[in-house]
Amino acid sequence: MGVSERGGALPSQVGGYRLPGLEGTRALVTGGSRGVGREVSLLLGRSGARVGVAYRSRQQAADEVVAELGRGGASAWAVGGDLSQPGSVAELFREVDGRWGGLDILVANHGIWPPDPVPLWEMEPEQWRRTLSENLDSIFHLLREGLPRMASGGSVVLVSSTAAQRGEAMHGDYAASKGALVSLVKGLCVELAPRGIRANVVAPGWIDTEMAAPALPTGIRERVATSIPLGRVASAADVAGPIVFLCTPLARHITGEVLNVNGGAVLVG
């Protein structure tokens, strides 16, 4: 694992949105080097949180997120590792222990989406196993290490997908892995409630990110946009705002819920 850090005094306002109730909180964001995770990390930092950015392999991108947070006066650091491996997750939380001694916010945003469409009966077991390992086993390892360290009043947000609820033909591995997160959080919220910790899921639709780019070439992107009632593909920031909202006291009576962020896409054929 590689580690980098940047810090400073947080000013009263750092451009863009700033959500209340996060001042001084300790927030860990996985998949935090790009896309939605990057926007979540930046919004948390602007809102006063101290931010740990976990990434798989893109150290330069993660360092840029840390540097941007540092320029705004937020305290941030980054650690790389493969969260599908228990040893890497344990190392990540040794870093959390050394820096903070605990955790208030855990946003599990990492994951993969194999872009090539494959009918389930033609899918290689290796693809199935890898997708579930990266998208589901990693969540188990993350929660197993992270939850004992979480303080009362804390918040867990798992990032799923509309595929969790409506399925996704030719991507059964991805849909299964994301659907499992919805079921997981329904029980997890009950387990955590006596400790004063909330757990929710955010389920985005199409997002303008690097991961989705292979499926949204010119022409297809426009067709997808017209199928969304709000008429456009979401930006990463569109999804980051609802995620961070669930981490604030504004959402203090919300737990076990699935917050869809899809422009109304699941309401049409």
Side-chain angles (χ1 to χ4, degrees):
M1 282 195 171
V3 182
S4 58
E5 180 175 17
R6 196 67 69 88
L10 187 73
S12 60
Q13 178 75 23
V14 185
Y17 295 108
R18 178 183 173 87
L19 294 178
L22 295 175
E23 188 79 32
T25 55
R26 303 159 297 180
L28 179 64
V29 182
T30 67
S33 65
R34 59 179 179 148
V36 172
R38 178 181 185 276
E39 294 300 322
V40 168
S41 297
L42 295 176
L43 181 52
L44 283 166
R46 287 197 299 268
S47 299
R50 295 171 281 171
V51 184
V53 178
Y55 64 95
R56 174 69 178 265
S57 58
R58 301 188 180 216
Q59 181 176 351
Q60 181 176 348
D63 288 346
E64 289 171 359
V65 175
V66 170
E68 185 167 346
L69 285 165
R71 286 192 294 270
S75 175
W77 50 272
V79 178
D82 180 357
L83 299 182
S84 69
Q85 301 302 311
S88 290
V89 178
E91 187 173 342
L92 169 63
F93 281 98
R94 281 193 289 272
E95 194 70 31
V96 169
D97 290 341
R99 292 176 180 274
W100 295 335
L103 198 60
D104 302 296
I105 294 167
L106 177 58
V107 177
N109 169 70
H110 64 281
I112 63 171
W113 179 70
D116 294 332
V118 183
L120 194 66
W121 60 89
E122 294 180 5
M123 187 175 294
E124 294 295 333
E126 291 77 14
Q127 177 176 328
W128 176 270
R129 185 63 259 161
R130 180 176 178 240
T131 302
L132 266 68
S133 177
E134 297 282 353
N135 292 358
L136 182 57
D137 293 354
S138 61
I139 296 293
F140 167 72
H141 301 317
L142 189 71
L143 294 175
R144 187 170 181 272
E145 289 284 347
L147 293 179
R149 294 168 164 86
M150 290 202 70
S152 178
S155 176
V156 176
V157 180
L158 308 182
V159 179
S160 181
S161 167
T162 53
Q165 300 168 88
R166 65 189 296 177
E168 189 170 358
M170 305 294 182
H171 297 277
D173 52 338
Y174 179 77
S177 69
K178 292 299 186 177
L181 300 187
V182 172
S183 295
L184 177 63
V185 91
K186 296 293 184 180
L188 184 63
C189 71
V190 177
E191 296 175 16
L192 292 175
R195 294 175 51 194
I197 300 169
R198 297 176 297 106
N200 292 286
V201 166
V202 168
W206 286 106
I207 317 171
D208 188 10
T209 62
E210 182 180 333
M211 187 172 79
L216 295 173
T218 302
I220 299 295
R221 179 191 177 89
E222 289 73 19
R223 193 182 315 157
V224 167
T226 61
S227 73
I228 299 171
L230 287 183
R232 63 182 178 86
V233 173
S235 70
D238 289 330
V239 180
I243 290 172
V244 177
F245 159 73
L246 287 172
C247 299
T248 72
L250 293 172
R252 65 185 181 183
H253 208 59
I254 301 175
T255 194
E257 292 298 323
V258 180
L259 177 54
N260 290 292
V261 185
N262 52 50
V266 296
L267 303 177
V268 294

